[in-house]
Amino acid sequence: MSGGVSAIDVTGGKSHRLVWTVQAGSGSYGSVVATGTGRLYTTADSGLVAVDDHGSTGKVAWRANPSDGITEVSAGLAADGTAILGTNGKREWAYHPDGTRAWDSPRTITYSSPSVHRERPGLCR
C-alpha cells in the first residue's frame, strides 16, 4: 500500500534478499503483473505504471494517468503486451507497451481487476 514495487531474490534458499525498490506512486492496492521480459506493471494512485527490471536495479519506464478516479485493483495484461487499467471512474483504459493509449471503454463493473480474453480461432466470433 506504500506505492513501492520491490524485487526480492529468493534463489538463496533460506534467506531472501531485497534487490531494489522503485516508488510507483503514493499508494497502490493492486498486485504487480509481469510480461516475462523484464517489464512489470502496477497500479498506483489513479494510474498505471510500467517498471523495467534490469536485474540489480529497477526503473520506472512510464506512467499513464487518465484522471478517471483512483485505481484500487491490479492491471490486466494481454498477450500482445497491452496493459489494461481499471479505475473507480467511468472507463477502462488500455496502453501499448510504449505507454501510448491503445483504447478506452465504458466501465461496467467495479472493484475487480480487468479481465483479458485471448480469442482463439473458431471459438469466438
Side-chain angles (χ1 to χ4, degrees):
M1 291 180 53
S2 68
V5 174
S6 297
I8 301 169
D9 181 355
V10 296
T11 61
K14 293 180 182 179
S15 64
H16 305 314
R17 180 180 62 89
L18 177 65
V19 179
W20 53 259
T21 298
V22 171
Q23 199 62 35
S26 61
S28 177
Y29 300 99
S31 299
V32 172
V33 293
T35 63
T37 62
R39 170 66 52 92
L40 312 170
Y41 294 98
T42 192
T43 56
D45 306 322
S46 58
L48 178 69
V49 181
V51 176
D52 288 335
D53 180 352
H54 297 288
S56 61
T57 62
K59 181 179 180 184
V60 172
W62 52 263
R63 298 173 195 270
N65 185 347
S67 300
D68 192 28
I70 191 169
T71 301
E72 296 182 281
V73 297
S74 303
L77 186 59
D80 68 356
T82 301
I84 296 102
L85 170 68
T87 69
N88 287 0
K90 296 181 179 180
R91 305 193 74 75
E92 300 274 333
W93 306 86
Y95 294 90
H96 294 292
D98 67 359
T100 58
R101 191 171 76 196
W103 52 261
D104 62 276
S105 176
R107 180 176 62 87
T108 58
I109 61 173
T110 185
Y111 298 113
S112 178
S113 297
S115 65
V116 178
H117 170 71
R118 181 175 171 207
E119 185 174 319
R120 295 192 308 194
L123 294 179
C124 300
R125 296 176 196 241

